Amino acid sequence: MLIDLFVFFPFRFDFVAPSTFFEESKPWMDKLRVLQKLATEPGSSARIFKAIADPPTTSLQRLKGLTTGGLPTFVDVGNSFGAPAIVEDNFIHQLVQNRKQVVMMGDDTWTQLFPNHFSKSYPYPSFNVKDLHTVDNGCTDHLIPTLYEEDWDVLIAHFLGVDHAGHIFGVDSGQMVEKLEQYNGILEKVIEVLESQSGPGGIHDNTFLLVMGDHGQTLNGDHGGGSPEEVETSIFAMSFKEPSLSISSQFDTLSCKNDLDGKKLCINSIQQLDFAVTLSALLGIPFPFGSIGHVDAALYALGAGTLDLEGTKRENCQNRSILEQWMQSYANVLCINSWQVKRYIDVYSASSLIGFSYEDLMQIAEVYAQAEESWSNGTKTLLLSKNECSNPSLSALKAQIDLFVHFLTSVADLARSKWTEFNLRMMGIGFSIMLVSLLVHFLAIKRVAKQYGASFTMPGDSGISFGLIIACFVVVIRASSFLSNSYILEEGKVASFLLATTGIVKLRHSISRKKMLLEAVVFLLLISFCRFGIEIGLSKQAVTSQFLKAYPSWMISIFSQLPAWMYLTEVLPMLVLILLAYLLYKTISSSCFEGIWKCVILGTILSYMLMAVHWALESKLWSLALVSYGIGRNYIPRVIYAIGFGQLLLLGLVQLFNKDKCDCKNNLVMKTVGLLSAWSSIVILLSGNQGPLVALASIVGGYCITRLGNIDQDAKEGVGDVLAVDPLAVTQWNLLAVCLFFCTGHWCAFDGLRYGAAFIGFDEFVLIRQAILLAIDTFGFSHILPIFALPFLVARQYIQSQRKFILMRLSQVFMIYGLVTTVTVTVTMLCVTIHRRHLMVWGLFAPKFVFDVVGLILTDALICLASFFCFGQVEDDVPQIRK
Amino acid sequence: MKTNIATSSVKSSAEPETKLHVSAHSISVLEALVFHLIFGLVLGLAVLLAHKFYSINLVSHPSLTLRLIWFFLRVFQVIECPIVILLYSRYRKNREECSYLKAVGRGLLGLPVGRALNRGQTHGSNAENYVIQTVACLPFCYGMRGSKNTHVSKSFLEKLQRALVNALGAVALGAPVGTQYFSKTVNWSLMMSLFTIVPAAAVFGSSWKDWLRIFAHTKPMESVDFMICLPAHGAIIGAWFGAWPMPLDWERPWQEWPTCVSYGAMAGYLLALVASFSFVQAHARFQHVKRD
């Protein structure tokens, strides 16, 4: 009987490898001492491997890669939340086909990937990242008893605690160290049980233990990208048979160092791609059809002690060394492996439209033919030697193995470089759609301007203003900056740089007009503050990013040491929240707000108060309150969500059934304030402590932009402009929104999502609900609020004019905003198309592309919503051109 | 202080603006050429000197080199500005009695006064103290020129603010902030203020109207205006473009703050000098034609 056992952890390479392998020792290192001890024990058949995964390093992709032996495709990341079953041929499927009983416990992704494969399974929900213990405790409860049972062949236990501890607390945290120590205990127990049963006749006499990670994680505990920290994980392999051979080190890529006790420990490197096929070889089942890995020598040698030496041992050939036998069996396996890979490549290139190029295929075929020829010659000699019991020379076998390995690695390299298929035609179509949409935007803006201008401008004006030129320049230069990966990395800084430039232009303008100096200066100061916020965000990103240099974040280092800083960070948001509530109160008490709008805004004020109470109870400063608050923690956020939802519903109903009668401008202001206040409570709650500050900053910024945008309005009544609105103001609005995106600690990568926000108010994971919350958190300050606030740009203008012109201007503002967004996204698309073979394509360009496109779709949808909301039923003829 | 630029600006604000300029004459083309050459050569000389004799450049020692450059510029401008003032007052104002020697004396006097003001500061490193002193005395020595003695302290504050404008602008645009960048930023902003504010301060003093005309409206009227307005704008725009290579991942030492920004500013300044010279020439020809 042949029994295998894996234990999966999501863990970094330095969790397992001794700290002597690294430059400096960190608290999380050397915690899994039992593995190190076994690996260094002389005569043990335990080894530590450094496994290198292929990005993207999300759990689902890695599990897929591990079991199928293929390369994951990027689109699969999207499916990471809600995994569909694997349809490709895979290792688990082969196990089941060969009547092996597979038992699974832990992460429920496995049961989603393999719905009908397990004879027994104990799945636990995997997405509640706040929960460190459910999965692990469940695994531990079932693992040890199962070890004493005999009705399984393969056991998979997938622990998740380390992953979750990393996501929530980071790698350098007490919880992480605790988790690792707990694992050490579990592993000790498992190994003890296995060893006690591993004697001849015991149920584990043939057991092979694998402890492995599916991916690594960054110091922040995130994963998904392709940085060394994320792709490097480890495999600990142990056979409980006495080691019967030590394979020659010529196959290994070894790095040896002394561990803490001074014992020598060697660590091999292995590609995760090779895992499925190696294990298949060890278990003696067919290789998965789509695998392109090769059987790894070191791992195979470990298992060989338990495997087929008895089978190949010939009685009449006593003098053949064990090493030679092993090498021959390895060569046999590689022969089958090469045949399987060649078959797959042939089938693939026959069925794929844009497969490998002809030259590449020819080259591979040549390498294969060479290996095959040498093999058939070798086999002949071997067959002869079997009869005559004379040894084929070791070097001949070695050369044969090298040939096969050469073929297999060249296929894997080729596949890695060319795997991703790009459908250039679809790309071209998408790009032309964007161009058409740009053109439509442009024409529509012109048309509205013409209608507007016909009644407003005096003839003979040149019409192109300085503001328009600056706005175009800024948009174009920002868009073209996306052509370089460096500027994409520093996008936040670039945006704030451009925003500050426009701020300086405005300041100059306001000095020359001798008006609104204060607003211009305040705006510049605000940008300076934003800039520091963006830098803090970038320093967070730099920790996880392989591309960014980590700048010393001097501000954090200075302030975090002060005790007053603690109080400030806790108390300041509440004070600002109260200030916001007061501002709202002032708004409704001052102007002609009708009953229902008053109701909405009072609801928001109530939400703010609840939020302040919620934060006060959650904060660590008043530890007394925490005791009584443990249970009802989720109620206040839920009430706030409910209020926000109710407000939005109310506003929608009012819009549907109520004809607006009061004068247009006030009506517009009222609607906008109502809508914004309804959204703001949810967005602020999700953003956490920084929420109120950012909200205040955006209010001040918006106010300054609006005021500065109207600087010329009263000077020359009836503007002689091409556009009815100040395009520079709209551009600034857009740049401010981009700055806020980065200020709130986001960046355009999957590890830039703030997963914690999805669990405010909820403990368990429901896909749609949590996805909505995460989306609101990600795009709240950068898309939802700025777009719904756009009517302010129009409503605050001084000209008293009829309804028609205000709405015309409003539609123009919306369209200019859409145009600015579309221009940047178009250039991003162009950039991704150009750089599709770039080294950083999956690490940098693709996430940026996904974020931008989602942002664009959201922008257009929100603009549609906002215009429906603002225009009401009367204005149906306003051009609605959204892609 | 006897220069009555302050009073003349009061006067000029009362008078219609055109009258002020009708009486004005532009400096000759030859004089302009000499000035432009001096400005350009001094800048080149400073960079060359730093490289040859001190074997430092902007890449290896940005702070030191910048200090050297602005020091050179300042020394020459201390000498030059009175000339400009002389010319300016000779042609424009009614024969100013601010003589060449007096002006030079005042410019040089500014240094000890500024040092005396900063004597109180005992803490801080030697180099930074030096920088603070020079920050204080630099606007001061020019600030004296435009105003009466009684207004010295007020004007001093005013000019200090103007000198800080560059630094604040740089910070708003994203210049790194921190102790290790402090001296670089200060030196850079001093150099920028020599390109932009100091010439204007030397010529216009505290005439807010002229400042507005040059920097807010960008409406240079005369040759001297061109000589102030164009290089100043050139330096600022050059510095703005100079910041663009900074995020690129070329890993070159000159991408650090403030090296490439300084290069950009200098390049912009030199280009604008050429432009301003041609403008002055064209202006002179235009005036000539008009007079005929």
Side-chain angles (χ1 to χ4, degrees), chain A residues 473 477 481 484-487 490 493-494 496-498 500-501 504 508 511-514 524 527-528 531-532 535 549 551-552 554 840, chain B residues 168-178 180-181 208 212 214-218 233 240-241 243-249 251 256:
Chain A
F473 176 71
I477 206 163
S481 80
S484 160
N485 56 330
S486 313
Y487 292 115
E490 311 244 0
K493 274 185 173 177
V494 172
S496 84
F497 179 75
L498 290 173
T501 308
I504 288 170
R508 185 172 170 278
I511 288 176
S512 74
R513 299 258 172 224
K514 299 199 182 78
L524 266 186
I527 299 166
S528 310
R531 189 219 125 170
F532 289 123
E535 256 165 42
K549 279 174 285 179
Y551 295 105
W554 56 278
M840 296 176 186
Chain B
L168 290 182
V171 169
L173 283 170
V177 179
Q180 73 267 42
Y181 296 108
W208 183 237
L212 269 186
I214 295 295
F215 287 109
H217 296 285
T218 328
H233 280 85
W240 192 87
F241 277 106
W244 276 97
M246 283 175 74
L248 288 172
D249 55 355
E251 309 261 324
E256 293 292 310

Side-chain angles (χ1 to χ4, degrees), chain A residues 537-538 540-541 687 690 740-749 752-754 757 774 776-782 851:
Chain A
L538 273 178
K540 262 187 235 159
Q541 185 186 1
S687 303
Q690 57 185 350
L740 288 179
F741 178 78
F742 290 95
C743 259
T744 44
H746 297 99
W747 55 90
C748 290
L753 296 171
R754 297 173 62 244
L774 194 61
I776 292 178
D777 169 66
T778 309
F779 295 109
F781 273 119
S782 56
F851 270 79

Side-chain angles (χ1 to χ4, degrees), chain A residues 62-76:
Chain A
R62 289 329 318 144
L63 292 188
K64 235 176 149 170
L66 278 172
T67 50
T68 61
L71 289 165
T73 44
F74 186 76
V75 185
D76 284 339

Side-chain angles (χ1 to χ4, degrees), chain A residues 373-416:
Chain A
E373 191 185 1
S374 139
W375 176 248
S376 43
N377 294 341
T379 325
K380 269 178 209 153
T381 38
L382 275 181
L383 283 173
L384 287 176
S385 75
K386 221 176 263 171
N387 296 337
E388 293 165 16
C389 210
S390 74
N391 302 334
S393 69
L394 263 179
S395 57
L397 265 178
K398 178 80 179 66
Q400 182 61 47
I401 286 170
D402 282 348
L403 276 175
F404 280 131
V405 169
H406 173 60
F407 165 70
L408 288 164
T409 47
S410 58
V411 169
D413 287 345
L414 178 68
R416 271 212 186 85

Side-chain angles (χ1 to χ4, degrees), chain A residues 251 323-331 394 397-398 401:
Chain A
F251 297 120
L323 177 64
E324 262 181 60
Q325 289 185 33
W326 179 81
M327 273 178 75
Q328 192 178 341
S329 101
Y330 184 51
L394 263 179
L397 265 178
K398 178 80 179 66
I401 286 170

Side-chain angles (χ1 to χ4, degrees), chain A residues 342 345-346 349-350 355-367 414:
Chain A
K342 182 73 172 60
I345 292 295
D346 287 344
S349 35
F356 302 117
S357 70
Y358 182 71
E359 291 83 45
D360 290 331
L361 277 179
M362 283 308 288
Q363 200 185 342
I364 284 203
E366 198 177 305
V367 174
L414 178 68

